[in-house]
Amino acid sequence: MSLILIPFLLAAAATPAELSASKILTGGELRFVLPSEPKTLHPLQVSDESGELIRYLTSGSLVRLNRVSQKIEPELAESWKLGDNGAQITFQLRKGLKYSDGSPFDSADVVFTIQKLLDKTMVSPAAESFRPETGTVEVKALGATTVVVKFPSHVAGVERLFSGLSILSSRSPKKEAVGLGPFVIAESKAGSFLRMTRNSNYWKKDSNGRQLPYLDGIRVEFQRNRDIELLRFQKGELDLVSNLEPEAFEKLKTNPAVTSLDLGTSLDATQLWFNQVPTAPIGAYKKEWFGSQAFRLAISESINRKDMARVVYHGFGVPAAGSISPSNIFWYANELKAQEFQPKAALARLQKEGFRLDGEQLKDKGGNLVEFTIVTNTGNKVRERLAAMIQADLRQMGIKVTVAALDFPSLIERIMRTFNYEACLLGVVNTDLDPSSQMNFWLSSGSSHAWNPNQKTPVTSWEADIDKWMRLQSKEIDPKKRKAAFDKVQVIAALQSPIIYLINKRTLGAASPRVKNLKPAILPPHMVWNIEEIYFAEGAGKVAK
Amino acid sequence: MGLTPLLSLYLTAEYPGKGTVLNGVSLDVQAGEILGLVGQSGSGKSTLALSILRLLHFKGGSDSGSILFRETDLMKASEKDMRKLRGKDISLVMQSPLASLNPSMTVGNQLLEAWRAHSKLDGTQVIMETLRQVSLSVDVAFLNRYPTQLSVGLAQRVLIAMAVLHKPALLLADEPTSALDALTQAEILELFARLNRENATAMLYVSHDLLSVASLCHRIAILHEGRIVEQGEPKDIFENPQHEYTRKLVNAVPTLRFKSRELIPA
Amino acid sequence: MKLRRIIACLLIGLAVLLLGARWVAPHGYEQQFRDFIAASPTKEFPLGTDALGRDRLARLLYGSRLSLLLAPAAAAVSVFLAALIGGLAAFAGKRWERAILLATDLTLSLPWLFLILTIRGAMPLDVQPEISVLITFLVLGLLGWAGPARVVRAGVKKIIASDFVFQANAMGTPPRRIFFHYILPNVRPLLFAQFWISLPVFILSEANLGAMGLSVSEPMPSWGNLLRELESQTSALEHPLQNWWLLAPIVLLVGVVSLLQVWQQRPKGSL
Ligand SMILES: Nc1ncnc2c1ncn2[C@@H]1O[C@H](COP(=O)(O)OP(=O)(O)OP(=O)(O)O)[C@@H](O)[C@H]1O
Ligand SMILES: [Mg+2]
């Protein structure tokens, strides 16, 4: 048993003693598996998880989000400052840096990259936040080491936009194949693997002046089957596994030859919401329930989240309080608490609203049986179990729940276009800490305002309030004031429960004990975000086969 | 003869891809007469029999000419009229008795079925009589048997019983004995002779076995290359074959060759 | 044919056991004992509990009942369709025959998984689990006609061309009588054979669909979702003896399917 629980706060402060130079050995190849091959390796065009990871390992950005402290840190830019009410950012670049092929790095490369990004003919998911709806973004170099980027208006948390932006070379003949990251792609075989070797021109050195990265290379294999991945990991053929399901994690915990890592509560949440679209093709009395705050709260109170965490997640889940996970250090509203399981209070609340128990069955004031259907997507075992637990909990309340598992396209069709559904159970993946990325979800006019999207004017006063606070938080520059505004949003959401948050699962992974200096984090790329500092206990010594 | 024949035909028949099989075959069968039709395998004997019943299209063939039966041309008869005629006025006995019986129907029911095809009256009496006539037992156990439980000889008798149930004027027997052993063969031949005597049923008896034909038939017709090359009484055919093919056939019969050696010393 | 009689007794015994599931099973199939998650067998739970603390014995009994009732129904539907379509192909002339053969080939090569997905997506959401199960099996039945239809067509053509049908024609038997007394009774054994052959196929199809979460919905059990659970129990398959209770659904499924297979291999001779 070698379970290391890493409380995220502590890990942030850790300046490991083991980093003392004498003990660190260089060399060796780190091996892990990705579920699929990247669709493209062009750093500005990657759209999938695999491409994103390889981009991260092979390129450099102006700033980087420290995945543990969740703060933006200098990278290619040694400093930056905001100006013009948050509409302008000025970067001061490091001097003397070189791309992997030896070509020099300066402000021209940054300007080149951003202009490329702004070029509307290029398809780039990374470009979205750089292309505002009105006005244009301007970028110019002031000498070799200063770059100014001007946005048409204030952008909340603007520096984080640059954390995921790979800086291309404007001069290298090899174009986007060269990078400023710790590794370069050395070999790849379609559908099978991709091998990276250390970038000898990488600019970072450790505190003892040793050239980083410590590792000689990385070998990524593409394998969709997770069972095979786990098997190979346990045989020592792989060094890392991440995003483990609780069941797999429990199994690994019993294996003394591996280090299992609970990285902490993830940002992702499983959530349930009721359809509140006024034009939805469902019964009028049902719309009345779903629009009732008391009904939604009663349902929320009737669900035993602790049981869910214990039974479905084997303890590796925490009852969720809202859209922001407690792991989101800065933005989580501390006064929020996950809803307790209170079936009696729920029943009282329902009775006050005119619902009554008729034998085993709950009826509304019009005498209609209280029953509804939860849609979810097929093939997700965890979610099906959650649905079965909701079913069982609500049956205790006299509410009959039917679960319909749909394939993903039909599910999206129903919840986004036809609105022909009553309730939906889904997982939401969060990778961005900043609430600006949730704008489209919270605004009543937003297209992903799940329970009633695209409202012309807010239907309810509390949605109008949320709109107000969201807009305020996005206009404000002072992080404290932004936080205060967004806390309001979180509190209103909890009070009204348009979304019933269920569980934040924990992010689980495992590593071979020979991998040292890991700083695993809940944010991707969980285990390798500090790749340049990772080393093997035996260095280049033996390589397990 | 002078009398109008019961059956008088002039036939041409062909199969697609095979070409003409019968090429202007001309035949008469008198009432009460047994006419033997002899020809080698593949010469079109079965084709002729099927054509008379206007069933050739079942096997994919087509025919033209005229088939005068009781002075009406069957070629011009409607399918409905033909159905009324088949099994009642002209019936057929084929060469594979077991395959010709419905495997999922008892003997008794098959006989009933044959009866009901042309009569709404109660057939029990007639069936009993016919069974006796073809020397089959009339007990219930036998009537309840399924075809798989019959020997070939019994099956052939059942088929013959079905064929003569309605006392047809003409019986087409297409190599009815070829599937039988020698003893049974003799019994069946004897049965045909008896039916002809007792019911005055005319027969077209098809076979490639000249000897059995000779013992049974009043007249023999030789079919060769789509035509009737010779016909006459058995004695004439054997003693004085005209056509070269007939001579060959006659010479191929072992016992007769022995006889002819005696007659004509070398 | 003593063996067949023994098998029939076993199957009937099983059927009685399953029909009496309500009295045999110690608990309801949906009842969650959340303090006994994935428990090993005890007196209370003879086959242990599943990941949500539900009694495995109850789920096995109810699930088997559902699969064993509905698979024959689906098989019957598909064989009935096969008889109609195959029969039509054999009777209705060259053009129909060619069209039907084409349709058969198409159906056999159809991405029927996709079809089932589409039908599921189009179904109203508030259909009860019972109805959705019925629909799943009905769809399976409706899609399963093609294979048997080919066999039926070939069989019927053989019968139409047979000597005894020819003989019936030569006796002047009217077409209607020929159809009902000569052709149909002789197709019947063929249809029965097809039924018995496709029965295990349907049982396995439901299991496969269930394995993809496309069959019976929670909390109702079927062989499909019982087997699906085994997917995540790879350790159970590595040490089958220590985890025998987890394998009960597989054992029962394999058992029943092979019993049916042996049973349907009736002595040849009727046709
Ligand atoms: N359905 C058919 N389609 C095509 N050709 C056929 C068909 N039936 C018979 N023939 C051909 O027609 C010719 C005559 O066949 P038929 O069966 O009438 O001969 P047969 O004299 O009865 O021969 P056998 O003594 O073998 O019964 C043969 O050459 C045969 O190959
Ligand atoms: Mg013949």
Side-chain angles (χ1 to χ4, degrees):
Chain A
M1 268 279 253
S2 47
L3 168 70
I4 304 177
L5 277 169
I6 300 185
F8 38 88
L9 282 172
L10 280 181
T15 321
E18 55 181 344
L19 251 175
S20 67
S22 57
K23 278 192 193 159
I24 295 178
L25 296 168
T26 59
E29 191 179 55
L30 187 77
R31 299 152 308 166
F32 57 89
V33 157
L34 287 175
S36 62
E37 214 174 346
K39 286 192 189 68
T40 171
L41 288 172
H42 191 300
L44 298 186
Q45 294 185 323
V46 292
S47 56
D48 51 353
E49 193 196 335
S50 303
E52 182 57 30
L53 180 63
I54 287 156
R55 182 197 69 75
Y56 185 86
L57 298 173
T58 56
S59 64
S61 53
L62 293 175
V63 297
R64 171 162 86 172
L65 177 73
N66 181 318
R67 299 325 200 245
V68 173
S69 70
Q70 299 182 0
K71 293 212 166 71
I72 298 287
E73 290 176 347
E75 191 82 357
L76 300 176
E78 50 188 15
S79 66
W80 64 91
K81 63 176 194 290
L82 301 180
D84 192 13
N85 263 333
Q88 178 180 308
I89 185 164
T90 308
F91 290 102
Q92 198 61 45
L93 307 182
R94 287 180 208 274
K95 291 189 200 89
L97 271 46
K98 285 198 183 95
Y99 281 89
S100 50
D101 67 337
S103 43
F105 161 77
D106 64 22
S107 59
D109 300 308
V110 179
V111 173
F112 170 79
T113 303
I114 294 175
Q115 267 163 355
K116 192 125 198 206
L117 200 62
L118 296 171
D119 176 0
K120 292 219 164 63
T121 59
M122 195 184 64
V123 181
S124 162
E128 238 115 83
S129 33
F130 282 90
R131 294 176 189 163
E133 279 154 42
T134 54
T136 49
V137 177
E138 283 166 31
V139 56
K140 63 170 185 278
L142 299 175
T145 56
T146 309
V147 177
V148 183
V149 188
K150 265 186 95 146
F151 291 85
S153 60
H154 164 69
V155 178
V158 68
E159 56 272 41
R160 83 201 149 84
L161 296 186
F162 295 89
S163 148
L165 177 60
S166 301
I167 303 301
L168 306 182
S169 167
S170 59
R171 281 167 287 237
S172 169
K174 286 158 122 187
K175 301 203 169 151
E176 66 271 355
V178 300
L180 290 158
F183 292 91
V184 290
I185 295 173
E187 186 189 355
S188 83
K189 185 153 174 266
S192 168
F193 72 92
L194 190 144
R195 204 164 58 79
M196 287 166 269
T197 51
R198 64 201 307 266
N199 170 8
S200 51
N201 287 319
Y202 189 53
W203 59 276
K204 264 190 218 172
K205 295 200 164 51
D206 71 9
S207 49
N208 293 300
R210 264 216 277 196
Q211 170 80 38
L212 293 174
Y214 296 127
L215 293 172
D216 272 345
I218 300 174
R219 184 186 168 88
V220 182
E221 288 180 37
F222 305 112
Q223 166 67 264
R224 188 164 290 282
N225 187 327
R226 295 228 72 181
D227 292 332
I228 295 177
E229 182 187 352
L230 285 178
L231 221 64
R232 294 189 58 198
F233 173 67
Q234 299 202 64
K235 274 204 238 159
E237 292 175 18
L238 301 172
D239 299 309
L240 301 171
V241 284
S242 45
N243 289 324
L244 290 175
E245 291 298 327
E247 279 173 11
F249 184 73
E250 281 207 311
K251 226 176 285 163
L252 284 186
K253 258 169 63 179
T254 62
N255 184 344
V258 305
T259 311
S260 47
L261 301 162
D262 181 341
L263 317 188
T265 306
S266 76
L267 298 182
D268 308 346
T270 305
Q271 56 191 39
L272 173 75
W273 74 88
F274 291 103
N275 183 0
Q276 294 191 47
V277 176
T279 57
I282 54 177
Y285 62 96
K286 286 194 176 180
K287 279 184 201 165
E288 198 178 321
W289 308 339
F290 301 157
S292 145
Q293 177 194 15
F295 179 81
R296 296 191 301 262
L297 282 175
I299 297 292
S300 183
E301 287 166 338
S302 311
I303 295 174
N304 192 335
R305 291 172 178 74
K306 283 199 179 114
D307 271 3
M308 283 179 169
R310 188 168 54 82
V311 172
V312 179
Y313 291 90
H314 300 236
F316 299 106
V318 249
S323 74
I324 299 295
S325 151
S327 295
N328 190 339
I329 303 165
F330 182 77
W331 292 103
Y332 178 68
N334 287 315
E335 61 261 53
L336 286 195
K337 272 207 220 73
Q339 175 64 55
E340 290 289 329
F341 175 54
Q342 297 170 324
K344 285 213 184 76
L347 186 61
R349 197 187 283 279
L350 286 168
Q351 277 165 343
K352 227 162 78 188
E353 280 283 293
F355 290 88
R356 68 201 150 74
L357 268 176
D358 182 2
E360 298 267 273
Q361 268 285 355
L362 190 71
K363 288 184 174 168
D364 71 4
K365 55 178 181 277
N368 302 298
L369 287 180
V370 180
E371 53 186 12
F372 57 84
T373 303
I374 297 179
V375 291
T376 186
N377 60 319
T378 52
N380 185 319
K381 217 174 297 170
V382 166
R383 211 158 294 147
E384 272 166 36
R385 287 184 186 157
L386 289 179
M389 293 196 77
I390 295 173
Q391 241 175 1
D393 284 342
L394 293 185
R395 195 179 318 116
Q396 297 298 313
M397 303 292 297
I399 299 172
K400 183 170 179 200
V401 173
T402 307
V403 178
L406 303 173
D407 60 306
F408 208 69
S410 343
L411 180 68
I412 293 301
E413 173 79 11
R414 279 181 191 268
I415 63 176
M416 306 276 284
R417 269 185 285 280
T418 63
F419 304 116
N420 186 4
Y421 74 101
E422 293 172 350
C424 177
L425 178 71
L426 264 191
V428 171
V429 177
N430 263 323
T431 48
D432 201 336
L433 295 166
D434 197 287
S436 300
S437 62
Q438 298 181 3
M439 208 66 179
N440 202 18
F441 169 77
W442 286 115
L443 289 186
S444 58
S445 58
S447 60
S448 47
H449 191 68
W451 61 92
N452 182 12
N454 304 320
Q455 301 173 30
K456 293 231 165 51
T457 51
V459 171
T460 61
S461 59
W462 54 269
E463 282 172 287
D465 281 347
I466 289 180
D467 286 358
K468 183 182 82 190
W469 293 115
M470 270 320 275
R471 292 220 168 82
L472 196 81
Q473 107 18 69
S474 79
K475 283 204 191 76
E476 199 53 65
I477 298 170
D478 179 6
K480 283 214 186 72
K481 286 188 184 153
R482 286 188 64 203
K483 160 87 160 120
F486 190 62
D487 277 3
K488 288 263 191 336
V489 173
Q490 294 182 62
V491 169
I492 296 171
L495 210 63
Q496 293 291 338
S497 286
I499 305 269
I500 297 171
Y501 292 95
L502 301 173
I503 298 283
N504 294 122
K505 68 169 187 213
R506 294 185 77 85
T507 309
L508 306 171
S512 148
R514 72 192 191 107
V515 186
K516 297 292 174 195
N517 209 18
L518 283 174
K519 290 180 186 167
I522 54 154
L523 289 166
H526 313 276
M527 315 270 279
V528 294
W529 74 270
N530 62 331
I531 186 72
E532 71 274 11
E533 301 172 342
I534 292 173
Y535 66 94
F536 281 132
E538 75 284 356
K542 76 170 206 289
V543 174
K545 252 269 125 90
Chain B
M1 290 172 207
L3 286 164
T4 32
L6 176 68
L7 177 77
S8 174
L9 57 81
Y10 176 78
L11 258 182
T12 297
E14 59 180 41
Y15 292 102
K18 179 75 198 175
T20 310
V21 170
L22 300 177
N23 192 4
V25 166
S26 177
L27 264 186
D28 287 356
V29 180
Q30 304 294 335
E33 176 194 36
I34 306 183
L35 174 66
L37 181 64
V38 179
Q40 73 191 76
S41 188
S43 58
K45 306 180 297 289
S46 301
T47 307
L48 181 78
L50 300 190
S51 200
I52 294 170
L53 281 170
R54 310 284 294 109
L55 286 171
L56 195 57
H57 61 276
F58 267 87
K59 305 281 182 188
S62 58
D63 46 13
S64 61
S66 68
I67 305 165
L68 289 177
F69 177 74
R70 288 177 173 154
E71 291 173 58
T72 50
D73 190 354
L74 300 187
M75 277 292 183
K76 295 192 182 106
S78 67
E79 172 63 20
K80 200 174 145 209
D81 289 341
M82 278 312 298
R83 208 179 300 134
K84 277 189 196 145
L85 187 131
R86 289 181 201 128
K88 189 165 191 305
D89 300 307
I90 307 177
S91 51
L92 175 70
V93 177
M94 292 197 291
Q95 69 188 61
S96 44
L98 282 176
S100 301
L101 288 169
N102 184 347
S104 53
M105 210 186 263
T106 60
V107 168
N109 280 336
Q110 310 222 18
L111 284 157
L112 262 180
E113 197 68 36
W115 175 255
R116 284 204 194 114
H118 297 290
S119 174
K120 291 200 164 61
L121 305 175
D122 179 31
T124 328
Q125 208 54 42
V126 182
I127 290 172
M128 297 293 188
E129 239 164 68
T130 313
L131 283 173
R132 239 173 262 129
Q133 196 175 24
V134 300
S135 312
L136 282 172
S137 65
V138 288
D139 65 303
V140 181
F142 176 75
L143 292 178
N144 279 340
R145 284 206 212 165
Y146 281 92
T148 43
Q149 298 162 305
L150 296 180
S151 69
V152 196
L154 283 181
Q156 190 61 293
R157 278 176 201 271
V158 172
L159 273 173
I160 294 171
M162 284 160 68
V164 300
L165 211 49
H166 296 280
K167 302 227 156 51
L170 177 62
L171 181 70
L172 307 174
D174 187 359
E175 305 191 37
T177 60
S178 62
L180 309 178
D181 60 85
L183 262 177
T184 324
Q185 204 168 348
E187 284 170 25
I188 296 286
L189 278 175
E190 164 53 30
L191 172 59
F192 276 114
R194 185 146 49 90
L195 286 170
N196 174 255
R197 249 180 288 126
E198 292 173 3
N199 298 358
T201 310
M203 295 184 192
L204 179 67
Y205 188 90
V206 172
S207 179
H208 49 236
D209 174 13
L210 198 53
L211 197 58
S212 63
V213 173
S215 68
L216 176 69
C217 302
H218 303 129
R219 231 155 35 85
I220 297 178
I222 310 288
L223 180 63
H224 180 61
E225 289 181 343
R227 287 171 196 279
I228 301 296
V229 292
E230 184 166 356
Q231 49 180 318
E233 293 186 10
K235 208 178 96 191
D236 296 336
I237 297 278
F238 278 107
E239 289 176 2
N240 192 16
Q242 298 297 309
H243 195 268
E244 192 183 341
Y245 176 70
T246 318
R247 234 170 278 147
K248 250 197 216 160
L249 275 181
V250 170
N251 284 337
V253 180
T255 46
L256 276 174
R257 194 192 290 155
F258 176 64
K259 256 186 198 165
S260 52
R261 261 201 206 131
E262 268 189 336
L263 284 171
I264 313 156
Chain C
M1 279 292 97
K2 218 177 195 169
L3 181 65
R4 286 191 67 199
R5 199 165 301 160
I6 295 171
I7 291 175
C9 285
L10 278 174
L11 288 173
I12 290 171
L14 181 67
V16 169
L17 193 69
L18 295 180
L19 288 176
R22 183 200 294 249
W23 296 280
V24 182
H27 306 285
Y29 62 82
E30 83 282 36
Q31 204 178 343
Q32 298 175 357
F33 298 89
R34 294 184 182 172
D35 293 323
F36 300 90
I37 300 302
S40 306
T42 59
K43 222 183 239 155
E44 179 84 3
F45 307 109
L47 287 179
T49 61
D50 72 0
L52 289 172
R54 299 176 295 201
D55 180 41
R56 281 184 190 279
L57 178 62
R59 292 185 68 72
L60 183 62
L61 288 174
Y62 282 99
S64 307
R65 181 164 86 170
L66 188 124
S67 296
L68 281 180
L69 274 179
L70 292 181
V77 167
S78 77
V79 170
F80 177 74
L81 279 178
L84 281 184
I85 298 172
L88 186 68
F91 273 112
K94 275 257 150 50
R95 209 171 286 173
W96 274 96
E97 184 173 359
R98 217 167 297 152
I100 288 172
L101 282 181
L102 193 74
T104 318
D105 286 343
L106 263 174
T107 312
L108 284 175
S109 60
L110 213 63
W112 53 277
L113 194 64
F114 175 75
L115 232 134
I116 288 179
L117 272 173
T118 316
I119 292 169
R120 278 242 131 179
M123 242 153 55
L125 290 181
D126 54 351
V127 289
Q128 299 305 309
E130 293 84 354
I131 308 271
S132 87
V133 174
L134 277 180
I135 292 175
T136 303
F137 274 96
L138 186 68
V139 170
L140 279 180
L142 290 178
L143 291 176
W145 61 271
R150 275 188 175 171
V151 179
V152 170
R153 183 194 71 100
V156 172
K157 285 198 85 156
K158 214 172 116 195
I159 293 169
I160 291 177
S162 71
D163 282 350
F164 67 86
V165 169
F166 189 84
Q167 179 72 40
N169 272 304
M171 291 186 329
T173 316
R176 239 176 55 89
R177 285 194 90 84
I178 290 186
F179 181 78
F180 284 106
H181 295 249
Y182 290 79
I183 294 173
L184 214 53
N186 290 299
V187 181
R188 209 177 289 143
L190 190 74
L191 296 182
F192 273 113
Q194 284 303 305
F195 175 82
W196 288 114
I197 289 169
S198 53
L199 188 54
V201 176
F202 281 108
I203 291 176
L204 294 175
S205 299
E206 192 275 332
N208 283 335
L209 278 184
M212 280 172 287
L214 282 176
S215 181
V216 180
S217 61
E218 289 282 357
M220 206 184 252
S222 76
W223 276 354
N225 54 32
L226 292 176
L227 288 179
R228 193 177 163 216
E229 244 187 87
L230 269 182
E231 241 180 24
S232 56
Q233 310 276 6
T234 40
S235 59
L237 302 172
E238 282 161 32
H239 310 285
L241 289 181
Q242 287 97 310
N243 298 289
W244 56 271
W245 64 93
L246 297 178
L247 301 179
I250 277 208
V251 172
L252 195 60
L253 172 73
V254 171
V256 169
V257 169
S258 31
L259 283 183
L260 286 176
Q261 282 294 3
V262 175
W263 195 70
Q264 65 98 9
Q265 281 164 6
R266 48 179 68 227
K268 292 271 171 329
S270 52
L271 223 183

